Amino acid sequence: SRVFGIPVRQQKVQDQIDELARCIDDGRLADAKPLLDELAALLGEDDAKVVAARWELSMAERDDAAD
């Protein structure tokens, strides 16, 4: 199934990635963790988006702890 020429599954994953980024940017780290775990289950731990998001989340957690 496609929406605007994009497979629905790909769009759902992109929406989750976007929401995860918003959570991290907004400091909603507790909300980000389950989203990231769900993406990792879908894409695999070695997926570039998952690796990057884990790094971003760890940096945000470190910054949050320093405040």
Side-chain angles (χ1 to χ4, degrees):
S1 179
R2 291 170 129 11
V3 175
F4 301 113
I6 301 170
V8 172
R9 181 179 167 106
Q10 283 181 342
Q11 186 60 52
K12 183 178 187 297
V13 169
Q14 187 59 52
D15 291 345
Q16 287 178 291
I17 291 167
D18 294 344
E19 178 61 19
L20 175 59
R22 280 190 294 276
C23 287
I24 294 171
D25 290 346
D26 294 346
R28 295 183 287 128
L29 306 183
D31 294 337
K33 288 179 184 182
L35 281 173
L36 182 51
D37 290 341
E38 189 177 330
L39 280 170
L42 283 170
L43 302 175
E45 284 293 339
D46 294 333
D47 183 85
K49 298 275 188 194
V50 172
V51 171
R54 286 220 186 274
W55 186 84
E56 290 285 338
L57 182 57
S58 70
M59 291 298 104
E61 288 174 331
R62 191 185 68 165
D63 291 347
D64 193 48
D67 288 344

